[in-house]
Amino acid sequence: MAEIIQRDGTWVFDGDALRLTPGRDRNVGLLRKELGELTVPLGALAGVSLEQGKKAGRLRLRLRDGADPLLQATGGKLGEPNDPYQLTVEADRFGVAEYFVDEVRNALLLDEVPAGPVDGYLLPGPGVPLSASAGDGTATFDGESVRLDWNWKTEEAKSAAGARTLALGDITAVEWHPAVGLENGCLRFSVRGAETKAPPKYDPNSVELWGFKKDPLMALIAAAVQARLPHPAVSVAEEAAPPAAGTGRAAIPAPASEADHDALLRRLRELGELRREGVLTEEEFALAKQAVLKRL
């Protein structure tokens, strides 16, 4: 087991999953505090790194595309204080952080976890019911529908029709954007049959965000809804698959064997490099090499 404890939080790796617990430091963002402890299965990881600075460094987890509904809904736009997959590391703990990185990387290698995208969420997303207030409204999600209530700062053209209730089955997409510079952010829902290009200020299916402290809490609503929508990979596959006679859509074709072969050869080269660098022992190298050769 590998563990690193910092004011920013505590990360623990037991070989199968990482447990990320936010710290109580004042620099920890509201979103991380609301999320609480996260459990990230090893299979959801694409990589881990340590960035060292003079006074402090940063541990970063890179998740596989499509593994986490939070990252899917926010598009990687979460800022440093609210990103649950970053951990500030003090300079005197760089050695512990390096050991942590090595343990995770070795596990990824030995378990042959691919770094590519997944076709289903591997993290559950925030629990419901859930409610957040920011910008010009309040968003509430109970697992079946989203309710949008407006406040006195809402544009009259949007608030005139009153509160909005959006059934989950009518929502085709959800996205969260932070305010950047002079451009406001938003929590936006795309609703079947009501597509619009109107700015969030006038869109009755959007909450406009102005860059205040509670804006990231709206990302929790986005993630909870995203986790209950069809996975993006499923939608892409359905669009790409040609129709099959009499049966709707054909099955998704398997990846080309040439591509698989090239990927496995690259894996073998990587294993050799890791053995030469001393990251892998001879026994670990032989075990991993045998597994790759079987797939070849």
Side-chain angles (χ1 to χ4, degrees), residues 259-291:
D260 287 344
H261 188 269
D262 290 344
L264 292 173
L265 289 178
R266 286 197 299 272
R267 171 75 73 171
L268 284 174
R269 288 194 292 270
E270 292 171 359
L271 290 173
E273 292 174 2
L274 291 172
R275 179 185 61 174
R276 287 191 294 273
E277 294 171 0
V279 175
L280 291 179
T281 64
E282 287 294 334
E283 183 179 354
E284 291 171 335
F285 171 75
L287 180 64
K289 179 181 176 181
Q290 184 179 14

Side-chain angles (χ1 to χ4, degrees), residues 3-4 50 59 89-90 93-102:
E3 179 182 59
I4 181 165
L50 171 64
L59 272 173
V89 179
E90 296 169 8
R93 305 297 288 172
F94 283 171
V96 176
E98 288 173 345
Y99 173 76
F100 189 93
V101 168
D102 288 342

Side-chain angles (χ1 to χ4, degrees), residues 235-246:
S235 301
V236 171
E238 288 178 349
E239 291 175 2

Side-chain angles (χ1 to χ4, degrees), residues 26-267:
R26 58 187 179 86
N27 293 323
V28 177
L30 282 176
L31 185 142
R32 284 181 62 194
K33 292 177 180 178
E34 287 295 322
L35 274 177
E37 184 177 286
L38 283 180
T39 299
V40 182
L42 182 66
L45 285 184
V48 58
S49 63
L50 171 64
E51 302 168 1
Q52 297 187 17
K54 292 183 178 180
K55 295 183 178 180
R58 191 172 307 284
L59 272 173
R60 292 182 188 269
L61 294 180
R62 184 165 57 89
L63 271 61
R64 298 170 65 188
D65 288 345
D68 181 18
L70 175 63
L71 295 183
Q72 186 70 39
T74 59
K77 299 182 180 71
L78 286 174
E80 177 185 315
N82 293 294
D83 188 344
Y85 304 118
Q86 296 186 35
L87 182 72
T88 300
V89 179
E90 296 169 8
D92 62 352
R93 305 297 288 172
F94 283 171
V96 176
E98 288 173 345
Y99 173 76
F100 189 93
V101 168
D102 288 342
E103 287 294 294
V104 176
R105 285 179 175 172
N106 289 341
L108 287 171
L109 183 64
L110 292 176
D111 282 20
E112 297 184 329
V113 177
V118 298
D119 58 6
Y121 293 121
L122 301 180
L123 281 84
V128 294
L130 194 60
S131 184
S133 298
D136 67 352
T138 297
T140 304
F141 180 51
D142 61 5
E144 297 181 355
S145 63
V146 174
R147 180 182 171 90
L148 302 177
D149 291 284
W150 312 117
N151 57 39
W152 64 273
K153 295 170 284 188
T154 309
E155 182 69 24
E156 186 176 354
K158 184 163 75 172
S159 63
R164 299 277 292 173
T165 299
L166 310 175
L168 183 62
D170 293 332
I171 298 174
T172 58
V174 58
E175 53 188 330
W176 173 87
H177 296 283
V180 179
L182 299 177
E183 183 178 351
N184 292 336
C186 71
L187 169 68
R188 185 190 292 272
F189 297 94
S190 297
V191 179
R192 186 178 291 105
E195 293 78 8
T196 178
K197 294 183 179 180
K201 182 177 182 178
Y202 302 105
D203 180 6
N205 297 324
S206 297
V207 176
E208 186 180 34
L209 304 174
W210 300 317
F212 295 135
K213 187 176 181 180
K214 291 186 177 181
D215 284 11
L217 295 181
M218 285 293 186
L220 295 177
I221 301 288
V225 173
Q226 184 72 59
R228 291 160 177 81
L229 294 178
H231 192 275
V234 175
S235 301
V236 171
E238 288 178 349
E239 291 175 2
T247 57
R249 294 191 176 271
I252 303 169
S257 58
E258 292 85 355
D260 287 344
H261 188 269
D262 290 344
L264 292 173
L265 289 178
R266 286 197 299 272
R267 171 75 73 171

